[in-house]
Amino acid sequence: MLSRRELLRAAAVTATGALVPSSIRSVFAAPGGNAASAKSMIVLWMAGGPSTLDLWDPKPGRPNGGPVDAIETSVSSIHLSEYLPRTAKRMHDFSLVRSMSTREAAHERGTYLLHTGYDPNPTVRHPGFGAIVSSEVGDPQLDLPSYVALNGTAPRAGILGVAHDPFVVANPRDPLQFIREAAGVDDARGEERAKLLERREEEYAARDDEAAKTRRAVLGRARRLMKSPLLAAFDLNKEDQKLRAEYGKTPFGDACLLARRLTEAGVSYCEVVLGGWDTHRNNFAAVKNLARTLDPAMAALFKDLSDRGRLEKTLILWMGEFGRTPRVNEFDGRDHYARAWSVAIGGGGIKPGRVVGATDDDGEEVTERPVTAQDLLATACTVLGIDPRKENVSAEGRPIKIVSDGKPIEELLPEKHAGS
Amino acid sequence: MRRLAGAAVACLLFGSVASVARADDVASVATNVASVTTNVSAETRGLTRELDRTFEELWASANVAPAPDAAPGELLRRVTLDLVGRVPTLDEARAFLEDRDPARFERVVDRLLASHAFGENVADGLTVVLLGREPRLDTIDKRRFRDWLAARLDEDVPLDAIARDLLTARTDDAVAHPESQYLLLGGDPTSLAGKTARIFLGNRIACAQCHDHPYEKWKRTDFWSLAAYFQRVRREEVKEPVSAEMRKKKQQPRTINWKLHEADQGETQVPLQNGETGRPALALPRFLGGRYDLTLHGTKAPRLPALARAITVENRATFAKAMANRLFALLFGRGVVHPVDDFSEAHQPVHAGLLDRVARGLDEGNFRVKPFLRAVVLTRAYARSSVSAETPGGASEGESDATRVFARMRLKPLSPEQLARSLATATRCEKEQPKLLDRFVRVLGRNDEDDPHQVQEAIPDALVLMNGPEVNGLLAAKAGSLVALVSAETQIEKRVDLLHLAAFARTATEAERRDAVAFFTKAKAPKLATGDYLWSLLQSSEFNYNH
């Protein structure tokens, strides 16, 4: 009997609502055909709502700009905040969207919106984008999980089922925390234990119950993960330590490096979390400090992927749940602001060195080309070869499109997708 | 036991049993103590008999033969998990299997219902349903809510009274009054409305928030009229007093408490739909298809007491169905209506008569949980095996039919709390229970408000169970632990039986004994062998499911 998850994978629902087998799904796939440029995605998630004016869209000399100066980048027409000197040197690897305009300025709601494209709704649990990528792009035969969260947690799979929930690596320096055998249990004993268990489970399989079968499958996959040669991807010590130092050797830097290694090993989606951005007080000192962690890691990640020839295959998206108020408050801080803010996007075939949209001189309103969370996710879908209008079905039989309304940002799409 | 015997004999002489106790009957009657101590038992007996008749009708109409009796140890383990949320102890298992008294199961049931672990176990599940698992507000500790609810359940406070307490809570001190957490954490009026309808009435009207329900009869105005009851809920943060020290350091005062009240004014509007023009209408209280309550319109009259009455009194029958269905699902792994909170056209009860009977049983028992559960666990249906009647390995025709109509007991996954408690109990390391609870609730505790019987296991859970330090710590031969006890036993067959009794409430099969002997004699690290063998028992499906 097929599990709900298997049914979802096997079927695809077209605009007319008819169920279509996956073998011909590609006919209805992403505009421009199913030639995806990106095979994996790394999201750099800035938890708390980052002050993007002080990073990507500086306003030097204006009251709202605060003390932040603008610096040149490797792309002559683009200036970034002085807090991102190294990333500025890699501006030719990625692009900016300065006209994000979303409507959720509360942490939980904003996080939900940016990860799902939907407002939180008590009647349905929309899958986080990582779960979508795991479900659409992930290889079920891969020993490693397809959706990994590093340095923090990431949104769950909701209606797609727990198999697509994020695998959380809380500490990038000890990622194999539960993947290794327990302390004191060597390989020989581990094998003995596993054999005892296998024999016991074989007997139990005679009960012929769906639930017991699922458990055996999960145990099997867990064991395969434990014994997988791909686990080497988790070992930062296997990396050139000079390169590791370039990432900054902070937990965030290590996690970015780990994300690069994991995507190389076949993981489809990694989300690396950096928290502390909720700067209602002492904004500039806090952002400057956070940028000391962010800047080297992000620059190193782009350079590393580019040097390895992997940038084309790896989509990178830098974002938070919203931006921050252009007007500085009485505590020298900035509060939540969703009307105008920025994200950075590159790799995966995304045209680099571009700026999409703009804000006014004071950073308060978007003056051209507003972009929604849905547009952003539709863009990601397109380069990953995912049909944004594909519907997943909830347990109650409710069809939920991956992205219901948004349109991909044409200006950033690689040539083969544009104009469709 | 003796204490009860004394009381029982007294009841016999002065109570409701009509026949005179003859001398040679006293002994046998005294051993049936638990079953005649109170009137409760008599009333539940009636319900048990009627339920069994209804089950038989259901099985006959579905043309399904009931599975054989569950093995005694299996039944003991099942009822212990269902009622007190853990596996039986080694001593409980041994005592039960050696007890020749035909009423031994009833006595176990009464022992479990009288234990404090009962309230905690049922409250664990209901707390997740009512409050979810995610942390929501500063200083609000859901464990206090669980403890409040557990105490109520231990005292057998009726469910309708509990529901009324939750819906009409108001306080200046939420920390001291945890029943306020349902309204405090329930979100805005639309969120509270959807949740309340779903949990207390099995009605997923929340789907009608944005548009008329696609296939049920509920319209948007129905939803918003329900939300209007919650419109005046007011929450107020109480912050710590600002000290001079804090002022100097420019520190923000922390939240230390909450106030919960219902204001005497405030309305909302039904939002316009796409294409609708004109002024939005006011959303005024009207209970699900009923008439508008004019005393609540444009007045200062409190609305929540009216809502509580509407649910627990005026719509008592629907409330009874929803609550009875949930309790039934606790025991059978699935409600008579499934999903447990969706009584709609699309989800017909497995058998209308069965749904009616359980609802009426709960209602006639005045919504008390203990007598209801007692009646159900004493049915023949509850005692069905979870193994198919067919030969092992063969999927029989109508296999899933048997489970669907409760002719065969469904396998139920353990909740994180039940798993943690069971691991501590089985390994006789009860002191480790808090650590285990903490780990498993954090890792497995994902199911926010969902039906606990839909718990699905994923790889991270399996890894924590297999390799985590908490579980492996249970396998060391610490004083008093199962491993220490078993290691002291010289005969391998006896060791194996002890291990199986502790984990599964049964002795080992011949095959298991043979395999164990082979394993123990060959073991390279004999001191660690018992721990390794126990590890395999704790990882098994047999341990991780309630069957």
Side-chain angles (χ1 to χ4, degrees):
Chain A
M1 199 187 103
L2 287 175
S3 72
R4 182 162 30 108
R5 180 166 42 92
E6 290 166 63
L7 283 169
L8 287 175
R9 283 195 64 80
V13 182
T14 66
T16 61
L19 287 167
V20 175
S22 58
S23 53
I24 60 171
R25 179 163 63 88
S26 54
V27 173
F28 303 96
N34 55 0
S37 33
K39 299 279 176 283
S40 51
M41 181 172 186
I42 299 177
V43 168
L44 303 178
W45 178 258
M46 307 294 112
S51 176
T52 58
L53 275 183
D54 302 320
L55 297 167
W56 308 115
D57 193 12
K59 310 285 182 188
R62 307 290 303 184
N64 287 353
V68 182
D69 229 343
I71 57 173
E72 288 184 351
T73 71
S74 57
V75 175
S76 59
S77 53
I78 306 178
H79 287 71
L80 293 185
S81 145
E82 59 172 309
Y83 297 155
L84 297 174
R86 296 202 212 179
T87 308
K89 295 205 175 71
R90 303 301 310 185
M91 194 67 242
H92 55 280
D93 283 332
F94 66 98
S95 290
L96 296 176
V97 176
R98 283 182 172 152
S99 52
M100 287 302 297
S101 195
T102 52
R103 275 191 331 247
E104 295 295 348
H107 293 294
E108 254 186 61
R109 293 183 69 91
T111 303
Y112 193 95
L113 175 64
L114 267 299
H115 281 96
T116 65
Y118 290 94
D119 289 327
N121 180 330
T123 61
V124 72
R125 298 174 191 289
H126 301 94
F129 198 66
I132 296 281
V133 175
S134 167
S135 167
E136 296 293 318
V137 175
D139 175 6
Q141 295 311 311
L142 186 71
D143 293 342
L144 301 177
S146 291
Y147 173 13
V148 178
L150 296 145
N151 241 24
T153 56
R156 296 179 48 199
I159 61 173
L160 292 182
V162 297
H164 295 292
D165 270 347
F167 186 92
V168 177
V169 176
N171 181 359
R173 286 150 188 187
D174 186 19
L176 299 186
Q177 199 185 12
F178 298 115
I179 303 180
R180 282 188 302 265
E181 303 271 10
V185 180
D186 60 22
D187 282 345
R189 268 181 70 203
E191 276 307 313
E192 283 303 307
R193 286 180 165 194
K195 270 202 277 218
L196 276 172
L197 180 57
E198 181 54 39
R199 225 179 126 53
R200 178 164 293 279
E201 291 295 281
E202 265 164 28
E203 299 291 310
Y204 201 76
R207 284 183 177 261
D208 189 45
D209 193 286
E210 177 82 9
K213 284 217 178 82
T214 312
R215 173 143 227 283
R216 289 196 70 198
V218 171
L219 279 178
R221 287 207 64 181
R223 191 108 194 114
R224 251 175 47 210
L225 173 60
M226 284 172 66
K227 299 293 157 202
S228 172
L230 294 179
L231 282 185
F234 281 98
D235 190 353
L236 286 175
N237 293 315
K238 288 204 159 51
E239 192 62 63
D240 171 5
Q241 294 303 300
K242 274 212 334 255
L243 178 61
R244 189 176 170 188
E246 276 182 42
Y247 276 80
K249 242 190 160 185
T250 55
F252 177 72
D254 277 346
C256 287
L257 176 52
L258 203 42
R260 191 223 81 206
R261 292 176 64 85
L262 291 173
T263 50
E264 249 169 1
V267 174
S268 306
Y269 181 104
C270 288
E271 181 155 325
V272 187
V273 181
L274 179 62
W277 293 95
D278 195 19
T279 52
H280 291 283
R281 296 168 160 260
N282 299 319
N283 171 78
F284 300 99
V287 171
K288 187 171 180 181
N289 196 36
L290 284 163
R292 278 201 202 99
T293 300
L294 170 66
D295 184 47
M298 191 166 176
L301 180 62
F302 275 114
K303 179 169 189 299
D304 197 1
L305 286 166
S306 175
D307 289 346
R308 278 167 201 271
R310 287 198 58 82
L311 191 55
E312 176 90 4
K313 299 192 191 70
T314 318
L315 174 64
I316 313 283
L317 175 60
W318 179 105
M319 62 177 178
E321 59 261 48
F322 38 72
R324 300 200 84 83
T325 50
R327 295 195 197 180
V328 180
N329 68 25
E330 59 176 308
F331 301 110
D332 206 31
R334 298 195 197 268
D335 303 310
H336 305 177
Y337 199 74
R339 282 222 296 275
W341 54 291
S342 309
V343 300
I345 183 169
I350 292 285
K351 291 208 181 101
R354 309 269 198 293
V355 175
V356 172
T359 54
D360 60 29
D361 287 344
D362 292 310
E364 288 174 6
E365 298 296 336
V366 166
T367 50
E368 55 181 86
R369 212 327 183 178
V371 173
T372 65
Q374 291 226 341
D375 295 334
L376 204 55
L377 296 181
T379 310
C381 281
T382 307
V383 301
L384 286 163
I386 300 172
D387 174 11
R389 302 290 183 255
K390 179 189 165 189
E391 288 176 343
N392 290 305
V393 184
S394 78
E396 294 83 39
R398 192 161 150 167
I400 311 281
K401 293 201 176 77
I402 292 178
V403 181
S404 57
D405 290 319
K407 297 218 186 52
I409 305 167
E410 297 275 345
E411 310 91 288
L412 294 179
L413 295 178
E415 288 310 329
K416 58 187 164 205
H417 292 288
S420 47
Chain B
M1 208 50 80
R2 285 182 201 287
R3 187 167 35 89
L4 288 170
V9 171
C11 277
L12 277 174
L13 296 174
F14 303 108
S16 53
V17 176
S19 59
V20 174
R22 292 192 310 258
D24 47 344
D25 268 354
V26 169
S28 59
V29 163
T31 58
N32 286 314
V33 146
S35 48
V36 293
T37 35
T38 61
N39 288 330
V40 166
S41 317
E43 111 199 27
T44 68
R45 247 175 224 293
L47 179 55
T48 300
R49 265 197 307 268
E50 291 190 41
L51 284 172
D52 270 328
R53 263 205 297 273
T54 315
F55 278 118
E56 268 148 41
E57 271 170 36
L58 165 57
W59 298 339
S61 69
N63 201 21
V64 166
D69 289 345
E74 188 177 17
L75 189 58
L76 172 72
R77 191 175 193 268
R78 177 186 303 169
V79 78
T80 310
L81 275 166
D82 283 344
L83 293 182
V84 296
R86 60 161 174 82
V87 297
T89 65
L90 179 59
D91 296 329
E92 284 168 354
R94 270 194 291 214
F96 183 75
L97 293 173
E98 286 160 19
D99 191 346
R100 293 280 149 250
D101 181 357
R104 61 178 177 172
F105 184 68
E106 256 187 272
R107 275 194 279 111
V108 164
V109 171
D110 284 328
R111 168 172 61 79
L112 296 175
L113 289 174
S115 132
H116 285 306
F118 166 76
E120 261 191 31
N121 174 45
V122 178
D124 273 339
L126 286 177
T127 300
V128 177
V129 170
L130 291 164
L131 303 183
R133 285 198 187 275
E134 308 298 327
R136 290 269 166 77
L137 289 179
D138 286 342
T139 75
I140 295 300
D141 185 352
K142 292 179 189 175
R143 273 170 308 186
R144 284 170 168 256
F145 180 90
R146 193 282 308 267
D147 291 342
W148 172 87
L149 186 54
R152 293 281 170 302
L153 292 167
D154 279 334
E155 291 158 30
D156 224 1
V157 171
L159 280 179
D160 58 337
I162 293 176
R164 280 192 293 272
D165 283 344
L166 296 178
L167 290 168
T168 60
R170 43 176 87 193
T171 178
D172 280 335
D173 184 355
V175 171
H177 295 276
E179 63 272 25
S180 60
Q181 290 186 24
Y182 180 72
L183 290 175
L184 267 180
L185 302 178
D188 65 14
T190 57
S191 173
L192 275 167
K195 199 173 165 156
T196 303
R198 189 171 59 75
I199 297 171
F200 295 110
L201 300 164
N203 182 331
R204 291 213 186 151
I205 192 175
C207 292
Q209 178 174 347
C210 306
H211 49 74
D212 294 348
H213 203 292
Y215 40 82
E216 297 297 319
K217 64 183 179 184
W218 304 112
K219 306 256 174 284
R220 285 174 73 236
T221 47
D222 291 319
F223 177 82
W224 287 93
S225 307
L226 185 65
Y229 281 95
F230 296 98
Q231 188 53 39
R232 296 174 174 183
V233 168
R234 297 287 177 267
R235 306 173 184 94
E236 199 188 310
E237 264 178 287
V238 176
K239 299 229 187 228
E240 64 185 342
V242 182
S243 64
E245 172 89 24
M246 289 167 63
R247 241 187 287 268
K248 246 199 312 184
K249 293 193 181 159
K250 274 196 172 186
Q251 269 172 355
Q252 294 280 47
R254 292 164 309 156
T255 306
I256 54 168
N257 209 333
W258 289 84
K259 294 187 189 179
L260 174 75
H261 288 288
E262 191 179 355
D264 59 12
Q265 54 175 329
E267 305 290 357
T268 193
Q269 296 165 327
V270 181
L272 292 174
Q273 268 183 306
N274 283 339
E276 256 186 342
T277 51
R279 285 187 54 162
L282 278 183
L284 294 170
R286 177 170 66 89
F287 189 78
L288 291 181
R291 288 203 308 266
Y292 279 99
D293 186 341
L294 297 176
T295 63
L296 301 176
H297 291 190
T299 67
K300 299 189 175 180
R303 296 176 172 183
L304 290 170
L307 177 69
R309 220 172 21 248
I311 291 175
T312 61
V313 176
E314 289 147 27
N315 288 269
R316 187 183 169 104
T318 312
F319 178 66
K321 280 191 177 143
M323 294 294 102
N325 194 48
R326 268 191 194 275
L327 294 174
F328 185 94
L330 258 178
L331 300 175
F332 280 92
R334 191 179 261 226
V336 184
V337 170
H338 177 75
V340 78
D341 57 4
D342 196 354
F343 283 62
S344 59
E345 283 306 307
H347 300 118
Q348 293 299 320
V350 171
H351 188 260
L354 181 59
L355 177 65
D356 283 341
R357 201 61 204 84
V358 295
R360 230 174 342 119
L362 183 64
D363 194 338
E364 283 164 7
N366 291 317
F367 288 102
R368 278 144 58 239
V369 174
K370 286 196 200 188
F372 179 81
L373 291 178
R374 187 182 197 280
V376 180
V377 300
L378 292 176
T379 57
R380 274 196 72 226
Y382 181 77
R384 291 312 91 211
S385 172
S386 59
V387 186
S388 145
E390 298 297 313
T391 45
S396 66
E397 190 67 54
E399 183 67 358
S400 52
D401 280 351
T403 341
R404 194 182 58 85
V405 299
F406 314 110
R408 173 187 161 216
M409 180 53 80
R410 190 179 289 275
L411 258 62
K412 307 193 283 266
L414 301 185
S415 71
E417 288 84 359
Q418 290 174 335
L419 179 59
R421 293 191 219 280
S422 297
L423 287 165
T425 303
T427 58
R428 291 160 68 102
C429 296
E430 280 87 351
K431 285 218 275 283
E432 302 300 314
Q433 190 166 288
K435 260 201 299 194
L436 287 160
L437 269 170
D438 189 54
R439 172 67 77 188
F440 282 101
V441 169
R442 255 190 303 130
V443 174
L444 278 81
R446 292 187 295 260
N447 296 289
D448 205 16
E449 301 140 44
D450 284 352
D451 182 349
H453 300 287
Q454 302 303 306
V455 172
Q456 289 174 278
E457 194 181 8
I459 291 172
D461 317 322
L463 289 173
V464 167
L465 189 61
M466 289 197 293
N467 304 324
E470 294 82 7
V471 174
N472 278 277
L474 303 172
L475 308 174
K478 295 200 195 110
S481 70
L482 179 70
V483 174
L485 179 72
V486 167
S487 302
E489 173 57 57
T490 45
Q491 278 197 26
I492 294 183
E493 276 96 348
K494 288 229 174 87
R495 272 193 214 166
V496 174
D497 273 344
L498 280 173
L499 289 165
H500 281 77
L501 279 167
F504 308 134
R506 64 170 176 87
T507 49
T509 61
E510 275 313 308
E512 283 166 341
R513 288 208 184 100
R514 271 198 309 272
D515 286 349
V517 167
F519 170 74
F520 279 108
T521 31
K522 265 195 348 219
K524 297 185 192 106
K527 283 215 175 103
L528 303 168
T530 304
D532 287 344
Y533 190 86
L534 178 56
W535 180 92
S536 73
L537 299 187
L538 300 180
Q539 302 302 322
S540 67
S541 293
E542 188 172 357
F543 188 84
N544 282 276
Y545 279 97
N546 179 354
H547 39 86

